[in-house]
Amino acid sequence: MDVLTINHLNKKYEKFQLRDVSFQVGQGRIMGFIGRNGAGKTTTMKSMLNLVHTESGSIHFFGLEMKAHEFEIKQRIACIFGAANYYAQSSLRSIADVYSRFYKTWDEALYRSYLERFELDPGKKIRQLSQGMSIKFALALALSHHAEFLILDEPTSGLDPLSRDELLTVFENIVDQEGASILFSTHITSDLDKNADDITYIKNGEIVASQPKQAFLDAYRMVEGTPDALSSALKQKIIGYHERKGEFSGLLRKCDAGEAHGCSVTPADLETIMVYTERKETHE
């Protein structure tokens, strides 16, 4: 069963709009949500939570329509938009005491285990936390009421590589061991290379692709070589063509890779696909 289903979502601003956004997140899956700044990721996520009112479209969690079942749904999900944003003089203990009252399934023992795991002192004040520690506190709160679905917007931003790896392991555990699902928006695509099951790519307010990660990666190839090995027909098919110091690079769809005679053709990772796809509009 799909935990989240979005169908034909539209939202119009003066200089930007979401156009017919549709995708699904399956149970027990980690969905990477990618796109450059301003592509529509945050608008989509806020629309999902009924924080932004859309012109048309439908949003269902667990088969329930969001607008009709908002309270019930929000008891079963958790959201993190960046670091914890609370009154700077409040202690972690006092914030958690208030936060826990909103959730029937709050698990104090689980919360304390996350404090210990993330090395968070409940007596500290918000103003005393680094960016990374603030994100860890937000995660400790979000994970402590047994949420079935997590919406995470840049949750590993500001963390060192070891702390990021630790959190990725936490995400894997709550999906693999507890059957939860995650929508994970990030610019650190290497995090998604490690543990995403599916990828949804949004560009200029429209969904470019939404599919299993391996299928998304398999659809593209990185091509490199010298210009003398490049036919004019092949150049027209290269996405984000870039030339420097007598060599070129670009992205090809897998179906066109057979035409790259005399060139190096290798698998592409998420960052390569994003960079060259976005470069196409400004470098051609």
Side-chain angles (χ1 to χ4, degrees):
M1 183 186 80
D2 291 329
V3 177
L4 169 68
T5 303
I6 297 178
N7 284 317
H8 309 297
L9 199 65
N10 291 278
K11 172 63 180 178
K12 188 173 184 180
Y13 294 101
E14 183 178 351
K15 296 183 178 180
F16 173 80
Q17 60 181 312
L18 293 181
R19 300 180 183 88
D20 200 34
V21 168
S22 299
F23 63 91
Q24 300 80 38
V25 179
Q27 185 174 0
R29 308 282 289 182
I30 299 177
M31 170 75 79
F33 193 28
I34 63 173
R36 68 183 305 166
N37 287 337
K41 300 188 302 298
T42 299
T43 300
T44 300
M45 290 187 287
K46 288 185 176 181
S47 298
M48 288 161 44
L49 297 169
N50 205 25
L51 300 176
V52 168
H53 299 294
T54 57
E55 274 77 43
S56 60
S58 65
I59 300 163
H60 289 77
F61 289 88
F62 319 109
L64 303 173
E65 201 275 327
M66 180 56 166
K67 292 181 180 178
H69 300 273
E70 184 170 355
F71 179 79
E72 177 183 349
I73 288 170
K74 288 185 176 178
Q75 285 288 309
R76 299 171 64 182
I77 67 176
C79 313
I80 297 176
F81 288 86
N85 185 18
Y86 302 104
Y87 180 56
Q89 295 298 326
S90 296
S91 68
L92 276 57
R93 181 181 293 108
S94 63
I95 292 171
D97 181 59
V98 173
Y99 188 93
S100 65
R101 300 176 192 180
F102 288 95
Y103 295 97
K104 299 176 182 178
T105 55
W106 177 263
D107 187 332
E108 184 66 21
L110 182 61
Y111 170 67
R112 292 183 180 276
S113 74
Y114 279 120
L115 288 185
E116 183 176 350
R117 181 169 186 170
F118 295 154
E119 299 180 339
L120 293 167
D121 180 354
K124 276 196 171 184
K125 296 181 178 181
I126 289 293
R127 64 177 176 79
Q128 297 175 297
L129 301 182
S130 66
Q131 175 78 1
M133 297 302 282
S134 184
I135 291 172
K136 287 184 176 182
F137 178 55
L139 279 167
L141 293 175
L143 294 170
S144 294
H145 63 93
H146 298 282
E148 299 169 55
F149 183 62
L150 277 71
I151 301 168
L152 310 175
D153 189 11
E154 300 290 342
T156 56
S157 177
L159 299 182
D160 61 79
L162 289 177
S163 295
R164 280 173 37 220
D165 186 70
E166 178 185 15
L167 290 183
L168 294 178
T169 300
V170 171
F171 299 158
E172 291 171 358
N173 288 342
I174 63 175
V175 169
D176 297 341
Q177 297 176 15
E178 300 182 26
S181 306
I182 295 176
L183 180 67
F184 186 172
S185 171
T186 183
H187 289 106
I188 307 174
T189 54
S190 60
D191 288 349
L192 301 179
D193 284 322
K194 293 178 181 178
N195 71 0
D197 299 303
D198 307 295
I199 296 294
T200 292
Y201 177 20
I202 189 169
K203 180 179 178 182
N204 297 330
E206 297 181 271
I207 300 298
V208 175
S210 186
Q211 60 191 133
K213 179 180 68 177
Q214 198 55 52
F216 181 76
L217 294 172
D218 284 345
Y220 296 95
R221 293 292 184 269
M222 179 75 176
V223 59
E224 299 172 284
T226 55
D228 59 0
L230 184 65
S231 67
S232 58
L234 180 59
K235 184 175 181 179
Q236 292 300 313
K237 294 181 179 181
I238 291 179
I239 301 168
Y241 180 85
H242 181 65
E243 189 174 328
R244 184 172 184 267
K245 294 185 177 180
E247 295 187 349
F248 77 87
S249 63
L251 193 69
L252 280 176
R253 296 192 181 279
K254 182 180 178 180
C255 59
D256 296 324
E259 299 184 32
H261 304 292
C263 302
S264 170
V265 179
T266 56
D269 59 18
L270 291 174
E271 182 174 337
T272 298
I273 293 171
M274 270 195 63
V275 167
Y276 282 91
T277 299
E278 298 291 344
R279 176 183 286 170
K280 182 178 181 182
E281 292 185 346
T282 56
H283 288 259
E284 284 193 345

